[in-house]
Amino acid sequence: MQLLTPEGDRIDKVTWSDGTEYRVDFTDEEYRGLYRDLVLVRKLDAEATALQRQGELGIWASLLGQEAAQVGSGRALRPQDMAFPTYREHGVLYCRGIDPIMPLGLFRGVDLGGWDPNEFKFNMYTIVIGAQTLHATGYAMGVNMDGKTGTDDGEAVIAYFGDGASAQGDVNEAFIWSAVFNAPIVFFCQNNQYAISEPLERQTRIPLYQRAAGFGFPGVRVDGNDVLATYAVTRAALDNARHGQGPTLIEAYTYRMGAHTTTDDPTRYRIASEVEAWQAKDPIARVRAFLTKQGIADDTFLAEVEEQAKQEALRLRERVLEMPDPEPLTLFDHVFPNGSPEVDAQREFTARYLDSFEGSVH
């Protein structure tokens, strides 16, 4: 499903095989806002990658190439909707109004993620592949039990995962439970073509979105590099969920332009011509081409966005470098809400161990 071609040509509407009609009706300012989001998210992500390469972060999972999938779906969420991310949804995090410094503290190793999931309706990053789909399904079942569906202001849930996670048992269990209990959830698969180093053809014999039929709910494949189509499909799926029509699987067909994480070397398992072919489908370039063709944005606006992105990335860098290292014993502070004799004993042991270094040459 596509509403904006790689050349920046707008498609007014598209009817999916099930009869659903997808379209967007944005103002010029909203189109410019989407472009701003895409550029800022990419620049902040690039800065985080640079910080890791310079030893300031332990690791980083880049979203380069997947900005439209994340911004499109993130902006499609209504304020009451709850999102369950993996460890790569920096663009969705940004769209939920969370300070972009938050995930960098996690990857720098100075905290465990500092935002409040209830305040921002955005759960903590999940490192275990696919586990968040079960968390999201349980949460969505709770939404049903609380009677918060069936109206325009009802709640819906979205669970993000990658194509590799679709082979995990957790994800398939989540599909079963959400279908059987008619949970108000959207499963959003960012198919970036590689599960670390394994290409898509070694993960599935059919398009991923078609798997939904076997579990009893609809599936849609959307051009994940098209921010307009991603928005339209996600908003429709979330609205169906909030009205009590159950789950939907969205396969956002996109491409990971960089490495899986900064510990990965993608040149070992993919060729340069493949990357070049996907560069021609760049999500930001197509929106910029659309804005220019339609006279919605001029060179002054484009330059202002670039400058804003540059300044925000600079501030992000400065804030990362200013992060204080936590005291080692704070590791034990919030393990249990009411304390624990075992944790207390571990804290005392660690304190004695640290004290043993005082005054030594080590």
Side-chain angles (χ1 to χ4, degrees):
M1 215 290 290
Q2 185 182 80
L3 292 176
L4 190 63
T5 71
E7 296 75 30
D9 296 321
R10 171 78 191 285
I11 301 169
D12 181 56
K13 61 182 178 180
V14 172
T15 302
W16 190 246
S17 57
D18 64 359
T20 302
E21 182 179 285
Y22 295 107
R23 63 187 303 164
V24 296
D25 185 21
F26 291 140
T27 65
D28 289 354
E29 186 59 34
E30 288 171 328
Y31 282 123
R32 288 190 289 266
L34 286 173
Y35 178 77
R36 188 185 303 274
D37 288 342
L38 293 170
V39 173
L40 264 61
V41 164
R42 175 172 291 186
K43 187 64 174 177
L44 294 172
D45 177 70
E47 192 64 40
T49 298
L51 284 163
Q52 193 283 329
R53 294 307 190 199
Q54 294 159 8
E56 300 298 340
L57 301 179
I59 192 174
W60 183 250
S62 173
L63 58 70
L64 182 62
Q66 299 176 219
E67 296 90 353
Q70 296 198 14
V71 169
S73 62
R75 289 303 181 198
L77 292 164
R78 299 190 189 275
Q80 68 270 27
D81 296 336
M82 185 69 174
F84 287 80
T86 68
Y87 44 79
R88 199 188 302 275
E89 273 68 58
H90 322 307
V92 185
L93 177 144
Y94 182 86
C95 290
R96 294 309 267 173
I98 300 174
D99 189 335
I101 194 68
M102 291 300 182
L104 276 73
L106 175 65
F107 287 105
R108 187 173 170 86
V110 301
D111 60 48
L112 299 178
W115 63 88
D116 181 350
N118 291 318
E119 177 185 357
F120 295 100
K121 307 295 286 186
F122 184 85
N123 201 46
M124 304 303 296
Y125 278 6
T126 303
I127 307 300
V128 179
I129 304 300
Q132 72 281 357
T133 59
L134 287 175
H135 308 157
T137 298
Y139 188 99
M141 290 169 61
V143 170
N144 260 349
M145 293 176 183
D146 288 342
K148 295 180 178 179
T149 58
T151 63
D152 288 345
D153 59 354
E155 294 185 20
V157 177
I158 189 167
Y160 290 91
F161 60 99
D163 47 295
S166 68
Q168 291 288 109
D170 290 18
V171 174
N172 289 271
E173 289 177 21
F175 287 173
I176 294 170
W177 279 76
S178 64
V180 170
F181 288 93
N182 201 48
I185 185 171
V186 174
F187 293 103
F188 193 92
C189 176
Q190 290 174 84
N191 178 2
N192 64 18
Q193 311 303 314
Y194 286 94
I196 305 183
S197 60
E198 292 296 322
L200 182 65
E201 59 266 21
R202 298 188 67 177
Q203 303 171 58
T204 181
R205 296 294 298 273
I206 64 169
L208 290 175
Y209 78 94
Q210 293 182 5
R211 287 187 176 182
F215 294 92
F217 54 86
V220 183
R221 175 184 277 186
V222 64
D223 181 349
N225 285 17
D226 176 354
V227 69
L228 304 185
T230 302
Y231 177 96
V233 169
T234 308
R235 173 56 67 92
L238 287 166
D239 285 347
N240 286 340
R242 81 179 76 258
H243 281 95
Q245 297 178 34
T248 299
L249 171 62
I250 297 174
E251 178 190 0
Y253 201 75
T254 182
Y255 194 78
R256 167 170 53 80
M257 295 301 297
H260 174 72
T261 69
T262 46
T263 62
D264 172 43
D265 178 8
T267 63
R268 299 185 62 171
Y269 54 82
R270 66 186 190 189
I271 57 177
S273 60
E274 177 182 293
V275 179
E276 292 172 359
W278 277 92
Q279 284 176 335
K281 306 173 185 178
D282 183 80
I284 296 179
R286 71 172 69 184
V287 176
R288 183 167 57 244
F290 165 72
L291 295 178
T292 302
K293 288 181 178 181
Q294 299 298 318
I296 298 174
D298 55 18
D299 290 343
T300 300
F301 169 78
L302 299 177
E304 288 175 351
V305 171
E306 290 294 333
E307 181 61 23
Q308 180 184 352
K310 178 181 176 181
Q311 293 303 318
E312 291 203 17
L314 178 60
R315 285 194 293 271
L316 185 70
R317 164 176 288 273
E318 293 172 345
R319 294 173 67 194
V320 168
L321 298 181
E322 292 170 356
M323 282 182 175
D325 291 334
E327 292 296 326
L329 292 181
T330 60
L331 177 68
F332 302 96
D333 282 353
H334 303 292
V335 180
F336 294 107
N338 300 312
S340 160
E342 290 183 347
V343 173
D344 290 343
Q346 293 171 18
R347 182 198 301 269
E348 292 174 6
F349 175 85
T350 304
R352 290 195 302 270
Y353 173 74
L354 295 173
D355 289 344
S356 71
F357 289 97
E358 292 185 2
S360 71
V361 294
H362 300 293

